[in-house]
Amino acid sequence: EVQLVQSGGGLIQPGGSLRLSCVASGVTFDKTYMSWVRQAPGKGPEWVAVVFPGGYSKSADSVKGRITISRDNSKNTLHLEMNSLRGDDTAVYYCARLWADIGSPYYMDVWGKGTTVTVSS
Amino acid sequence: DIQMTQSPSTLSASVGDRVTVTCRASQSISSWLAWYQQKPGKAPKLLIYQASSLQSGVPSRFSGSASGTEFTLTISSLQPDDIATYYCQQYNSYPWTFGQGTKVEIK
């Protein structure tokens, strides 16, 4: 069974930074595509970034230049670091495992429980 | 960016009713669309991928279909456990985008 356990987050002052972690089990992590999605209070989900097994990543324009996605394949762990935080970064942040049938694009099939980030003074 | 437009935003139906949620993409996304169910305080749960493929473990009363850029999620017989918000999401191209959600309530 695939499980994603998230940690990090909390109350952060505007202009500060965050580091979120996501530990995966039940997967061959060094071959697994992963993603981050966030959801502001009362809003729908917003895709943040995707990271390929080799570490290459793509991110949304709303966070581009402010985030670093990294992975430690020896620890089955994905990290999201974001700086210059502002109020509209307040959200629940989810990590998700990506899956694909052969010849098809990847989609998010298993999600972590989420971790809350609140940006406020 | 591809815009995903869901309707209705809220839906009220009785137990046993057939319920339909629609999602329209602003441009072609082939069949690369997923449907998620989200209950309050929980993570989204994948129901349907590739527009009409049922995710393992999801009850067969859920189904998806596509016609051009219009996609439909159908619950054949609404159950109390189906009370949730439903989101469509395209994964045809980056940035991946979600619909604004449809909240399903029991009448």
Side-chain angles (χ1 to χ4, degrees):
Chain A
E1 180 191 7
V2 177
Q3 290 195 338
L4 303 175
V5 177
Q6 297 185 231
S7 61
L11 176 63
I12 304 168
Q13 290 201 332
S17 61
L18 65 80
R19 178 180 167 93
L20 306 180
S21 298
C22 172
V23 179
S25 60
V27 300
T28 304
F29 189 71
D30 61 355
K31 293 180 171 52
T32 301
Y33 291 68
M34 300 290 293
S35 187
W36 290 98
V37 174
R38 67 183 181 181
Q39 188 169 26
K43 303 293 186 182
E46 177 192 17
W47 173 76
V48 173
V50 63
V51 58
F52 294 16
Y56 173 74
S57 64
K58 294 182 70 71
S59 59
D61 286 347
S62 59
V63 300
K64 200 166 289 183
R66 298 191 295 133
I67 71 166
T68 300
I69 309 291
S70 61
R71 54 193 301 160
D72 183 344
N73 290 339
S74 68
K75 296 181 179 179
N76 282 18
T77 302
L78 178 70
H79 299 289
L80 167 66
E81 296 181 70
M82 189 183 307
N83 55 39
S84 302
L85 290 170
R86 50 198 194 217
D88 62 359
D89 293 316
T90 294
V92 176
Y93 285 73
Y94 297 99
C95 62
R97 193 273 298 262
L98 305 188
W99 186 255
D101 296 329
I102 294 174
S104 298
Y106 284 84
Y107 57 91
M108 298 178 284
D109 71 330
V110 179
W111 295 54
K113 293 185 176 181
T115 187
T116 300
V117 172
T118 303
V119 182
S120 175
S121 55
Chain B
D1 298 3
I2 297 174
Q3 307 301 316
M4 306 301 294
T5 304
Q6 264 184 259
S7 61
S9 55
T10 306
L11 186 159
S12 184
S14 300
V15 172
D17 282 355
R18 183 180 184 87
V19 166
T20 299
V21 179
T22 299
C23 179
R24 182 172 283 108
S26 62
Q27 63 190 75
S28 175
I29 59 170
S30 187
S31 59
W32 310 127
L33 182 109
W35 288 99
Y36 297 92
Q37 175 193 68
Q38 187 176 34
K39 298 182 178 181
K42 301 294 186 181
K45 173 188 173 184
L46 178 67
L47 299 176
I48 302 283
Y49 64 95
Q50 200 172 337
S52 60
S53 296
L54 191 68
Q55 175 69 352
S56 176
V58 173
S60 59
R61 63 180 180 273
F62 291 93
S63 64
S65 63
S67 177
T69 58
E70 186 166 296
F71 300 85
T72 300
L73 172 70
T74 299
I75 308 173
S76 60
S77 176
L78 186 68
Q79 299 302 304
D81 189 50
D82 301 336
I83 300 312
T85 300
Y86 293 82
Y87 295 97
C88 61
Q89 179 243 328
Q90 66 82 18
Y91 54 99
N92 178 75
S93 61
Y94 298 111
W96 291 348
T97 46
F98 290 82
Q100 62 268 53
T102 295
K103 187 175 183 179
V104 174
E105 302 173 336
I106 294 286
K107 193 182 294 182

